[in-house]
Amino acid sequence: MKIQLIAVALSFSLAACSNTQLSEQLNTSAPDKVPSIVAVNAQASTIITLEQVMADPDWFGRAPESWYWGDDSNTVYYQQKQLGNPLRDLYALDLANSSKTSPVDLSIKHKVADKNAKFNQARTHKVYTFNGDVFVKTLASNTVKQLTFTSNTERKAFFLTNGDIAYQVANVFYRHNSQTGQIKELASLHMSDKPAGVTEPKSYLAKEQHKLIAYIALQQRNAQLKHAQKQRLAAENSAVTDSKFYFGKDNKVAYASLSPAGDKLLVSIALAKSSRDKSDIMPNYITKEGVIVAKKVRARVANNRQYKEQLFILDLVTGTQQALSYDSLPGFDEDVLASVKAENYARAGKKYKSEKKARNIHVLGMYNPIKWSENGQHLAIMLEAWDNKTRWLTTVNFSDNTLVSQHKLHDDAWINWNFNEFGWLNADNNASLYYLSEESGYSHLYHKNLNAKAVKLTSGAFEVSSVTLTQDNQHFIFKANKKHPGIYEIYQVDMAKNLIALTDLGGKNDYVLSPDESKLLIEHSTVTMPPELYVQNINAAGTAKRITYTVSKQFLAMPWAAPTVVAIPSSKQKQPIYSKVYLPKNFDKTADKNRAVMFTHGAGYLQNSHLGWSGYFREYMFHSMLVQQGYVVIDMDYRASAGYGRDWRTAIYRHMGKVEVEDMRDGVNWLIENANVDAKRVGTYGGSYGGFLTLMSLFTDPDLFASGAAIRLVSDWAYYNHGYTANILNTPEDDAIAYERSSPIYFAEGLNKPLLINAPMVDDNVFFEDTVRLVQRLIELEKEDFETAIYPVEPHGFVQPSSWLDEYRRIYKLFENTL
């Protein structure tokens, strides 16, 4: 097996390189050799303390946020958090003037806050919304005109093909005539039954009343005359319009998208009934009123109802609406859970009979899942089955109002919630699509003419995302980890599959292409350096220029540990387990054996052993503190982590907590063999999914760790949300087996090592109930060696520095006492 590592540790403190980029070298060792580990040798004159690590993160820097290009491709805008409060300010950075940075005055913010603006076809104007009003910018003169001054919230403004501007207010769509200024209502969507007009009496008593009482009969006749006159006026007078469309009571608009031609509207309708139950509440004990408040929270997967949407095409010219059927989609009625249900039936002594039945289908929950071609003649929709097994990229045949499947992606486990980007090429009469698909095992880019087979433009053991189509419709720019699973660079590919790297920065990089397509604005970070902004000419690979300096000198002067990313061999499958390994100063294999801590990242599907700055920055600093005190620390991208392809992602299907713990054992064994670690002095901790894995490892493999701290833990997956859990475990109704073998509460009797449980009480993601039920279970099992710490004002992601400090003091104390 080829074993790879990334060496990023330095022999000096970060203070010595505050204005230089950290170099990162990719090394490959021989298959039969263990890679050498780079030990930290940072200056230790400064002692890292928990008080510093868990303080308000403002102390080490306030990185640029929500960054975007100005219209001239020489100005960069970004937001930055204010010191000591959650407010953000907008800044302008002038590349043509030595990267001069200045705050944007609030009085002119509406002129430049156009990050999500839409161009007209000639790219001479932009339209956008600011503070709920519509603005148009003329690019040649850089002048801005405000079109609406209302208390309504106008949104989704864009140019129609004729140059008019369309926008939406709630469920009403408007067109603003650019020449006359006239505003026309195109469509008003009503969640009610269509008014029946003047109806004839139906009951016996009503009919008799109309016969016997002349006044009643007169009122009926007059009402009918008025209604008929109103209908004739609407039919014969062009100044009168009726743009109302009715979709029945108890429904809601899930999605609605207007054609650029302004003549059609796609609407997706769902039941308005909430998925939550009356019991889905969360008590809040610390309130400004001084009383307990029960907050409504999301539904649990165990009682979440099935969900579907109905698509309609509205013809705004004729005023008609037509439902779109899913029957034309391949596999629309397939029983994809037949084998799962059969297994669960068999356990109950029953036999399952599989039958074809229309599946519940809805528009995929993603950014912009409905896209019209530039000319408005074609429509593409990304659809998904409620069972999470199938994704369809469809178009609409407007001649007969039918759905046409352009691409079907099926996964026996579940469809990824990432890598669903798609769009139209604005050429060839707008008749071709591009999209991402994991069908090869990794997310790759495909091009497809509507009446032809798809062409795969990228290939290899790496993941493609963040796709940008250039204006010539011949090139795609994207982000990928082609060089190494933990390094994300920016690449370009053309229709002939010619692939080139645009950046060579190492670490993690995200980008935005400039309006003139000559430059990339890049957010770049490394393991030891938080994100900063860089600019690079698109034809000058590796020559990016740093333009922001937001990291504090205090942070740069600290002796942070730089981990080595090691490809740890797996005992269960061919792919290695990429892991960050932190070693203490002057590491010596021949010295006394070390104690070690394994950190387990959250989210399950998340990558943390990459070469960029981690969202777990507090944990990174905590690990540096542990290293300074002689600990070895390991942070593994166990199976189910992001960045390593489809098979790695879905290895946990129907059994969460099994393969991950196997990987954790491989990590501990690697530390014992290669980092001089005492097998009896290894602890573990993690939050959310990491808290779940802390429990599963202590409960199901009790000899693996000497102690563990489970933070904001999941103890029973039946109590978690539907969107995440049903992907991996199906639903408790269909697959109780998967829930029982994946939930720690069923294995609590295995605990025989010290366990610390840290639980926020107003966690609306993983409910406090998970901790309460687990603690009661441990009490009933008469377990003694566990402690619980509660945090009354904290949500899932802690906010208060005092809570962070208390939590990590307890974790540190656990390791000091047990390791």
Side-chain angles (χ1 to χ4, degrees), residues 377-391:
Q377 300 305 304
H378 301 283
L379 172 61
I381 314 162
M382 190 68 83
L383 299 170
E384 182 188 31
W386 182 82
D387 51 51
N388 311 302
K389 310 296 184 188
T390 311
R391 181 196 84 177

Side-chain angles (χ1 to χ4, degrees), residues 38 44 264 274 631 653 691:
V38 181
K264 295 182 179 67
S274 173
Y631 283 83
Y653 178 56

